[in-house]
Amino acid sequence: MLKKILFSFLAITVISLSLFLIKTEQRENVFADILFQEQTETISAIDQAKESVVSIIKTEELTKIITNDLGQTQIDANFKQVAGGSGVIVSSDGLILTNKHVVDFGDKYSVILNNGEIYDGKVVARDPLKDLALIKIDEQNLPVIKFANSQNLKIGQTVIAVGYAMGRYKNSVTKGIISGLHRDLIASDSKGKTESLSNIIQTDTAINSGNSGGALINLNGELVGVNVATELSGQNVSFAIAANSANKAVRSYKKYNKIIRPKLGVRYSMLNPTIAKFIGLPRKQGAWLHSGTEPAIVPESPADKACLLENDIIFEINAIKITEDLPLSEVVSFYEPDQTIGLKVQRGNKVIILKVKLGSFE
């Protein structure tokens, strides 16, 4: 009897161990398949996008007079790169999107395509609000990047930065995830020039010198953002301008031959329950209009003409709720200059409805 019990126990143990090993092997196979699939998607995305990424450089000629041992003079000339960055082809006829700070050194640049060909490029538009600009080269049938809808981005989503690192390493790629959305920050360059950036994507993808203006893509090879800045005091904290904002700049240029942004004319802070409770405001979400060094309502602006007042809270535009995840600037950007929009506004204990005809930044 005892032998039968021991045999049964050993049989059960062997079967259980076998099942465990089988399940472990199955899990390992599943994990291997997942890793292989992401690797395959990464390679495919890079292959799809890299043909549309270009290098943008600016050089200046440096000359000096040299006197040789015989007392003869001659000119010694050489060229120095004074600016460099990346860009993305957004139209097959040679229209290229980049950062405005990449093209701060005049209007003429050299553009190097992925195949090594070099073209003369001219800046044709600079964005009045965003760190974006457009360059045009004289070429046709170029490979064009596809825009993703950046409103669909999720924190944790895999993204890849493609650009010309240090201005000379073409198709340099780094991979990471989206760390945050709808960030506001103040960016500065090596000259100390600062710029306010709003509704920015944060990523832990490394953005190196020369990557500015390059592509931030998803695993489908679509443009989700334009790389713009990195946090030098931290690690793996980089930023990109959302694709929807960049796409609107491109569409504006094609329509108006310049980049135009809709103008409301207010200064505000986005509310959340903590801020609202601390200040003692009647709403937990919305855009709270308040002054700092500048007035809350820009004089003679559309907001001023519509009678918006300091301490008003705009909480809806055309039935779209204003939240931290969908801030005022982004909702206003959905519309065109001269369009009339309806605002729901909390003013003290009352809710009022105002109509505003948008102006334009250009």
Side-chain angles (χ1 to χ4, degrees), residues 42-335:
T42 299
I43 293 170
S44 175
I46 294 168
D47 284 342
Q48 184 174 330
K50 69 181 182 181
E51 301 296 328
S52 303
V53 178
V54 306
S55 177
I56 298 169
I57 60 172
K58 178 78 170 180
T59 59
E60 65 179 15
E61 185 177 8
L62 305 177
T63 60
K64 61 181 178 180
I65 303 298
I66 298 175
T67 303
N68 62 23
D69 294 337
L70 300 176
Q72 298 171 328
T73 60
Q74 62 187 55
I75 295 176
D76 179 29
N78 59 78
F79 288 86
K80 175 185 177 182
Q81 183 172 320
V82 295
S86 301
V88 186
I89 300 171
V90 293
S91 179
S92 62
D93 61 355
L95 192 63
I96 296 164
L97 179 69
T98 187
N99 288 145
K100 190 163 53 178
H101 75 259
V102 169
V103 291
D104 264 350
F105 296 82
D107 288 337
K108 293 183 179 180
Y109 291 80
S110 295
V111 176
I112 306 174
L113 302 187
N114 182 65
N115 60 12
E117 294 183 2
I118 302 176
Y119 292 84
D120 291 331
K122 181 180 180 182
V123 179
V124 293
R126 288 181 170 89
D127 197 312
L129 291 183
K130 307 289 184 179
D131 190 358
L132 296 169
L134 291 167
I135 289 181
K136 187 74 169 58
I137 64 173
D138 187 15
E139 187 54 273
Q140 300 291 326
N141 302 317
L142 294 173
V144 177
I145 197 103
K146 183 179 179 181
F147 282 87
N149 184 352
S150 54
Q151 271 192 276
N152 296 332
L153 294 177
K154 303 293 182 184
I155 293 175
Q157 180 177 337
T158 298
V159 286
I160 305 164
V162 186
Y164 279 66
M166 319 307 292
R168 59 182 182 272
Y169 301 116
K170 78 173 185 177
N171 293 333
S172 292
V173 299
T174 51
K175 183 179 176 182
I177 62 170
I178 292 176
S179 310
L181 298 166
H182 312 295
R183 300 296 198 214
D184 294 329
L185 64 142
I186 303 295
S188 61
D189 60 18
S190 58
K191 294 182 177 181
K193 181 181 177 181
T194 62
E195 183 171 13
S196 177
L197 302 174
S198 61
N199 194 28
I200 296 296
I201 300 166
Q202 179 188 337
T203 172
D204 69 351
T205 308
I207 306 297
N208 298 301
S209 174
N211 281 142
S212 289
L216 188 70
I217 62 174
N218 59 21
L219 290 179
N220 294 322
E222 299 167 329
L223 188 77
V224 299
V226 178
N227 300 320
V228 67
T230 189
E231 175 58 72
L232 297 178
S233 61
Q235 290 185 338
N236 301 327
V237 182
S238 302
F239 303 95
I241 298 171
N244 284 10
S245 184
N247 197 10
K248 185 155 189 180
V250 174
R251 295 198 309 269
S252 176
Y253 174 76
K254 290 180 177 180
K255 183 176 181 179
Y256 301 109
N257 212 34
K258 57 185 175 181
I259 300 174
I260 299 176
R261 297 284 185 180
K263 178 180 181 180
L264 179 57
V266 296
R267 296 179 176 90
Y268 65 93
S269 293
M270 293 305 303
L271 296 178
N272 59 39
T274 302
I275 295 173
K277 183 177 180 180
F278 179 78
I279 300 173
L281 297 173
R283 276 200 174 267
K284 298 178 181 179
Q285 299 281 355
W288 172 47
L289 312 186
H290 66 94
S291 58
T293 56
E294 301 289 341
I297 312 299
V298 177
E300 302 300 317
S301 68
D304 190 21
K305 295 174 183 177
C307 299
L308 279 162
L309 302 176
E310 183 166 2
N311 291 318
D312 281 351
I313 301 171
I314 302 173
F315 63 92
E316 277 188 22
I317 294 181
N318 290 354
I320 301 173
K321 294 186 182 300
I322 308 298
T323 67
E324 282 190 305
D325 290 336
L326 195 57
L328 179 64
S329 61
E330 184 170 358
V331 178
V332 170
S333 74
F334 295 164
Y335 302 95

